[in-house]
Amino acid sequence: MTTNRNNYLSTAKGIGIILMVMGHCGVPEPFGKFIYQFHMPLFFFCSGFFMKDILNLHNLYDFYIKRFKGIYIKFLFWSLLFLCLHNVFFRLNIYSGLITFRGEPSYLYGLSDFAKKAIKITFSMNEHEQLLRSFWFLKQLLIASIFVSTCNYIINKITHNRHASIYLLIAFIFMTLVSKKYNWALPAIWDISLVFMSSTFYLSGYIFRKFNLHEKFYNITYSTTMLVLLLLGLYILPWTNMLEYTLTTTIPFIIVAFSGTLLTINISRKLESYHIKYWFYYLGQNTMVIFALHMLCFKIGNLIKIGIYDMPIYHLAEFQIIYEHNTYFWIVYTIIGIVIPLFINLLMRRNQLTNRIWTLFT
């Protein structure tokens, strides 16, 4: 592992990716609600933490290119790959006409279906396969990073006030409320309030690095306060996450999400004293492959469940998992959803050629 005083952020991402997989595999409701309060804001925060000041058009252009390569190309590769495999998945019962997704059953695609979906994937980052449902995050991360970096450039041109980014954060929160109240939306971009919400968490990461706030908040008093706020959110707020929030829950959700994010980062810093940090760090450095493959790997868990409980094979297509008989089986799904993608990752990196290609997309 390279020496870097911010390695704990990769550790935090490692914790976050475990929580994401757990959240997708039917953990008991109180724990699931706890996870969804902050696990996705954590990723936006960690990404924004590493954004540098955009001082000129050259900086802005370089940042756009970096984001394009780091997010869009990976999104495009995995989305088109899974699209090409759609009919294969259908014939293997991974998809089924007997199981619905968002109210619609799956079906075999024709050439026109492939063409239409490929166009939407390429030009609007929509219509990716259900097994890549979590890829909404990549789209929002790309939009938020471009939006925040552009605003950062404009602010640096207008004023040299070092607190301008804090005022921008307040403006983002305000616009989240306004756009949610009036249900603003744009074609291809979806809910405008989600853009401002994503940008809020992304910008907050940048602000914490710029003002060194992550050092100030690293103590037992703040950690305890954050935990209390998380528990209050667990028992007071309805089920809330980045894709499901109302006008009245927006501000409480932002507060609770910040609390969970900062608590996770403090825990990650504490783990720096223990060798287990290397495991979390490795997970944090390989989140993309888990993002892309964990739901497909869940089908292995479905197969095991089908065999144990003698269920019809079409249940293999249950999404995200087979929720029956899941009191403790979510642990199996979690292990499968993390270990199998990492095993595939190791296999792809053993050969110099495949490692070079694999690195481009993970």
Side-chain angles (χ1 to χ4, degrees):
M1 184 176 70
T2 57
T3 302
N4 188 321
R5 67 188 184 90
N6 294 322
N7 275 339
Y8 63 86
L9 287 171
S10 286
T11 301
K13 286 171 60 181
I15 295 173
I17 201 68
I18 293 173
L19 294 177
M20 185 205 72
V21 174
M22 292 174 69
H24 288 165
C25 61
V27 296
E29 184 170 335
F31 192 28
K33 185 179 176 182
F34 180 83
I35 290 171
Y36 273 85
Q37 286 185 124
F38 68 92
H39 77 300
M40 296 314 295
L42 171 65
F43 287 107
F44 285 100
F45 182 98
C46 289
S47 184
F49 188 93
F50 292 102
M51 190 187 83
K52 307 298 183 185
D53 276 318
I54 310 296
L55 302 175
N56 52 56
L57 281 175
H58 180 72
N59 292 156
L60 188 61
Y61 173 78
D62 285 346
F63 185 82
Y64 284 170
I65 295 299
K66 182 179 179 181
R67 292 289 84 188
F68 179 83
K69 291 180 178 178
I71 301 175
Y72 177 75
I73 295 299
K74 294 175 182 178
F75 174 93
L76 193 63
F77 168 78
W78 289 106
S79 297
L80 292 179
L81 175 62
F82 273 57
L83 175 63
C84 291
L85 292 173
H86 175 91
N87 285 355
V88 175
F89 289 154
F90 188 90
R91 296 191 184 282
L92 292 174
N93 291 298
I94 290 174
Y95 298 146
S96 171
L98 300 176
I99 302 293
T100 62
F101 173 67
R102 294 176 177 169
E104 296 183 3
S106 294
Y107 59 92
L108 286 171
Y109 288 169
L111 288 177
S112 62
D113 296 307
F114 282 114
K116 290 175 183 177
K117 290 181 179 293
I119 289 171
K120 289 184 177 180
I121 286 170
T122 303
F123 295 103
S124 67
M125 297 180 74
N126 289 332
E127 297 290 336
H128 43 280
E129 292 289 291
Q130 68 180 65
L131 290 173
L132 297 177
R133 185 180 179 184
S134 57
F135 268 35
W136 69 266
F137 164 75
L138 294 180
K139 177 178 179 176
Q140 290 302 316
L141 180 60
L142 180 61
I143 294 172
S145 60
I146 290 175
F147 185 42
V148 172
S149 62
T150 304
C151 290
N152 184 268
Y153 167 72
I154 295 171
I155 286 174
N156 284 329
K157 280 294 182 182
I158 295 174
T159 177
H160 296 292
N161 186 336
R162 69 188 302 265
H163 294 100
S165 55
I166 297 176
Y167 303 141
L168 182 63
L169 180 66
I170 295 171
F172 282 171
I173 295 173
F174 175 75
M175 291 306 300
T176 302
L177 291 167
V178 172
S179 53
K180 190 66 178 177
K181 177 178 175 61
Y182 294 104
N183 295 315
W184 290 349
L186 285 174
I189 293 181
W190 302 341
D191 183 2
I192 296 301
S193 69
L194 180 58
V195 173
F196 282 111
M197 175 78 79
S198 303
S199 300
T200 294
F201 293 123
Y202 188 91
L203 180 60
S204 66
Y206 163 78
I207 289 172
F208 264 70
R209 179 192 58 78
K210 181 176 181 178
F211 293 99
N212 211 30
L213 296 178
H214 52 299
E215 299 292 341
K216 178 179 179 181
F217 280 84
Y218 182 54
N219 60 59
I220 189 64
T221 301
Y222 281 116
S223 295
T224 303
T225 303
M226 294 164 199
L227 179 59
V228 170
L229 287 172
L230 266 175
L231 294 176
L232 283 174
L234 180 63
Y235 288 102
I236 295 175
L237 288 176
W239 185 282
T240 309
N241 58 64
M242 281 195 71
L243 297 180
E244 299 177 34
Y245 59 92
T246 64
L247 181 63
T248 56
T249 61
T250 297
I251 297 299
F253 171 67
I254 290 174
I255 293 172
V256 169
F258 276 136
S259 299
T261 295
L262 297 179
L263 178 61
T264 304
I265 289 172
N266 282 357
I267 291 172
S268 300
R269 295 192 65 175
K270 190 66 176 177
L271 289 174
E272 287 291 290
S273 303
Y274 303 94
H275 286 292
I276 196 173
K277 69 180 179 182
Y278 296 110
W279 294 98
F280 288 109
Y281 178 84
Y282 181 76
L283 285 169
Q285 290 292 297
N286 292 281
T287 55
M288 187 63 222
V289 68
I290 299 175
F291 259 112
L293 296 177
H294 73 283
M295 289 188 184
L296 177 59
C297 293
F298 282 167
K299 301 303 179 181
I300 298 173
N302 283 3
L303 273 176
I304 295 172
K305 221 178 230 188
I306 287 169
I308 292 174
Y309 297 103
D310 195 26
M311 305 171 76
I313 191 61
Y314 70 80
H315 282 288
L316 180 62
E318 293 274 4
F319 185 82
Q320 303 165 129
I321 62 165
I322 299 174
Y323 286 91
E324 296 177 69
H325 314 292
N326 208 50
T327 304
Y328 300 105
F329 208 88
W330 62 267
I331 300 173
V332 177
Y333 280 116
T334 300
I335 294 171
I336 289 172
I338 294 172
V339 173
I340 301 300
L342 290 180
F343 178 70
I344 294 171
N345 184 59
L346 286 173
L347 288 179
M348 295 300 292
R349 293 186 183 279
R350 290 183 65 183
N351 178 276
Q352 186 175 0
L353 176 61
T354 56
N355 177 54
R356 189 173 301 174
I357 298 171
W358 189 249
T359 301
L360 294 175
F361 306 117
T362 58

